[in-house]
Amino acid sequence: MVPLRLIKVILDSGEIEVLATSLLDGERYPATLFKALYHLRWGVETDYRQLKQSHELQNFSGRTPQAVQQDFYSQVLLNNLASLFCASAQATVDQRHAGSKHPWKVNYTQALSRLKNTLVVLLINPLQDSLCTLLQKLARSTVAIRPGRSFPRKHRRPGTRGCEGYKRTM
């Protein structure tokens, strides 16, 4: 049994959330800190979302432990490479949108798609020209950053359950 501390947090919308933590010392970790701490998890949660949605991490190509591990680690590697290429192209995006109303960033989903299509070519023949071309394409695939927006999302299609491409052999 793991002892937990439950903390009630009132969001800006008035909604109440209950957070569970293993930080039991109320004097050292006052409840008032947890609202800000909860928002610091946003980057971690976004990375999980990228792995699950953009990489379709839950749809494994095989059912054996080895196949699941290979899929998992290859997707984590692809995620890291896409993030690295996005960070490399971001300087160009910052220059291009210097006077814009909102800051802009490289569109991660489009970067991931372009990287999937060119990764093998880059690994076989890592010419400087092909890498520069990829970074230029990424710098043109951008999206505005609009902080403070909050509205219900429209889900266009239902989520998947399991591997849609998997068919039993019997």
Side-chain angles (χ1 to χ4, degrees), residues 101-167:
K101 179 180 177 182
H102 299 287
W104 288 71
K105 67 178 182 176
V106 176
N107 185 319
Y108 177 83
T109 305
Q110 289 184 16
L112 182 64
S113 176
R114 291 183 190 277
L115 186 58
K116 283 182 180 179
N117 294 332
T118 59
L119 183 59
V120 173
V121 173
L122 286 173
L123 291 174
I124 292 172
N125 188 13
L127 293 175
Q128 188 69 21
D129 291 340
S130 58
L131 180 60
C132 288
T133 302
L134 174 64
L135 291 175
Q136 288 170 355
K137 288 180 181 178
L138 295 183
R140 287 192 302 264
S141 302
T142 58
V143 63
I145 303 169
R146 296 182 177 96
R149 292 179 9 166
S150 62
F151 52 88
R153 293 183 179 255
K154 295 178 183 176
H155 297 286
R156 295 188 177 132
R157 63 182 178 100
T160 60
R161 288 183 16 198
C163 179
E164 292 179 344
Y166 176 74
K167 294 187 174 110

Side-chain angles (χ1 to χ4, degrees), residues 40-58 72 75-84 105 108 112:
L40 292 177
R41 285 195 46 85
W42 184 255
V44 175
E45 298 296 334
T46 301
D47 205 42
Y48 286 143
R49 179 182 55 90
Q50 281 179 349
L51 284 171
K52 288 174 65 179
Q53 291 179 353
S54 300
H55 294 272
E56 296 183 7
L57 189 61
Q58 71 277 11
F72 176 78
Q75 292 304 323
V76 169
L77 174 64
L78 187 61
N79 181 51
N80 290 340
L81 288 173
S83 297
L84 179 66
K105 67 178 182 176
Y108 177 83
L112 182 64

Side-chain angles (χ1 to χ4, degrees), residues 62-75:
R63 298 291 185 203
T64 66
Q66 183 179 12
V68 171
Q69 283 181 335
Q70 286 176 350
D71 278 358
F72 176 78
Y73 290 121
S74 66
Q75 292 304 323

